[in-house]
Amino acid sequence: MLNFGKNSFPICFALICMGLVVSPMPNESTTYAPITTDVPSNVPWSEDQTNSNNEVNVGLEYPLLPMVINSWKHTEGNEHAWYILNRTPGGLGETRNAVVEGCGKCEEIQSLVSVGYGGAANEDGETILHAMIMDGATMDVGAVGGLRRIKNAIRVARHVLENTQHTMLVGDLATEFGQSMGFKVESLTTNGSTNMWQNWVDKKCQPNFWRNVYPDPKTTCGPYKPKPTTISSVKKNDDQTDYNIGPDNHDTIGIVAIDVNHQIHVGTSTNGLDFSIPARVADSSIPGAGAYADNEVGAATATGNGDIMMRFLPSLLAVEAMRVGKTPAEAAEMGIQRILKYHKDFYGAIIAVNRLGEYGVCCHGWEDFSIVVSSPVKSGPITRTETVKCLPRSGPIDFTGSSANF
């Protein structure tokens, strides 16, 4: 059972692994306290539903829904998605529009420089985009990876979803597809991204994402050639890198919208990692990695070191954990711990939301992680920024004790 004090209902809540983050007012706060949780009943809310500790059961369809929740402090995108969602009562029929337009707003304003044009130049000094949208009712997905010269990546992804039988289109031919759908082809480079790239070149291309090549990628720029290797070569722990992902250098917006009938859409958009190898596709474009949704259960979105996270499909893991009865907080933690078994120093976060609008967050590698949430409230701001403390970087976590059966 998820509980709040009677006088505090209804305020927004977020679970960090097995803890609770409460954000009443002002708009942003960072608090946490342990809490024991289980999956609540789906019953109408009444102020009379209190226990001996004067706490209220908030596992409710209303007023937790409709809702919009996203990773990082992409506040403008969340607010715009919330506006779109509320064009109809309860958000009915608007979750897809909300996700697309919320991500699209971030692309337009180059939110936090990590979304849209003019950010994250690759090794060639070019910005490319990656985006995805998923429908939790049909399980249909539209995605683009390595999209060049079109600013509206999430809208191109929507055309993949609605106008093709494919799941993902990539590279120059994805650009051609977007152009055929009516999108303008233009440069995604700005003076800012060019200057950032030139500074990187001047520092001998440090850091970068090469290994087992010559000349030494730790001391010079490419082009590089592969070193001779043998089958018995020692595997490098590739989460150890000088390239740190965090609040000032991260990779995506992941956004979930749910209406009062539990229709769910989830979407992502990013310009990827600074100075990545030009052919890289971000995890944000990959269903189950960057995001996943299923109306029967809920949704999840992930952010962080995408090259590691995409190997584990953490968003899918979180949704499937909720399917077998885990709370959103437990589900998010299970996704993080699965990765920690192999990569104890990785950076990342998972947001898990069940179909009722309850959500949990778990993160690792940073001190804290922020999300933005919009949902009905009795008092205070509808759109809130919440910040959770991340798991300590104390070495590998034993995953063998988990009760997961998948």
Side-chain angles (χ1 to χ4, degrees), residues 314 317-318 321-322 324 326-340 350 362 399 402-406:
L317 286 175
M322 290 189 289
V324 298
K326 299 298 182 182
T327 67
E330 293 167 338
E333 183 184 20
M334 288 176 68
I336 293 294
Q337 289 189 347
R338 180 71 61 88
I339 301 170
L340 284 173
I350 299 172
C362 195
F399 193 70
S402 169
S403 59
N405 294 315
F406 55 86

Side-chain angles (χ1 to χ4, degrees), residues 226-290:
K227 287 182 177 179
T229 59
T230 64
I231 294 176
S232 60
S233 295
V234 176
K235 179 183 180 295
K236 178 180 172 62
N237 185 4
D238 57 4
D239 54 333
Q240 299 277 357
T241 177
D242 295 328
Y243 188 94
N244 293 327
I245 301 167
D248 299 320
N249 184 18
H250 49 83
D251 63 341
T252 189
I253 177 174
I255 185 167
V256 180
I258 311 177
D259 70 18
V260 294
N261 280 354
H262 313 290
Q263 170 61 52
I264 306 172
H265 277 82
V266 63
T268 64
S269 182
T270 183
N271 51 37
L273 293 175
D274 298 339
F275 320 125
S276 61
I277 297 171
R280 177 185 185 266
V281 172
D283 67 310
S284 305
S285 300
I286 299 174

Side-chain angles (χ1 to χ4, degrees), residues 67-131:
M67 75 175 301
V68 175
I69 184 170
N70 65 264
S71 56
W72 302 105
K73 295 182 181 180
H74 295 288
T75 307
E76 296 91 338
N78 187 290
E79 291 174 338
H80 190 57
W82 179 248
Y83 167 76
I84 297 295
L85 188 63
N86 283 276
R87 294 190 300 187
T88 61
L92 297 177
E94 292 288 355
T95 53
R96 181 178 299 184
N97 292 330
V99 166
V100 170
E101 296 307 312
C103 287
K105 182 67 172 180
C106 290
E107 292 172 348
E108 175 188 337
I109 66 174
Q110 303 167 276
S111 184
L112 302 180
V113 196
S114 68
V115 180
Y117 70 100
N122 62 24
E123 280 193 344
D124 291 340
E126 181 183 10
T127 298
I128 60 175
L129 305 181
H130 319 263

Side-chain angles (χ1 to χ4, degrees), residues 16-90:
I16 170 173
C17 301
M18 290 304 294
L20 178 69
V21 175
V22 179
S23 294
M25 292 189 294
N27 288 20
E28 182 174 352
S29 65
T30 306
T31 56
Y32 50 97
I35 189 168
T36 300
T37 66
D38 55 39
V39 179
S41 302
N42 181 13
V43 293
W45 177 75
S46 164
E47 286 196 349
D48 296 328
Q49 291 176 275
T50 58
N51 60 22
S52 59
N53 295 322
N54 199 35
E55 295 174 328
V56 180
N57 176 8
V58 298
L60 315 167
E61 290 191 33
Y62 184 83
L64 300 183
L65 299 176
M67 75 175 301
V68 175
I69 184 170
N70 65 264
S71 56
W72 302 105
K73 295 182 181 180
H74 295 288
T75 307
E76 296 91 338
N78 187 290
E79 291 174 338
H80 190 57
W82 179 248
Y83 167 76
I84 297 295
L85 188 63
N86 283 276
R87 294 190 300 187
T88 61

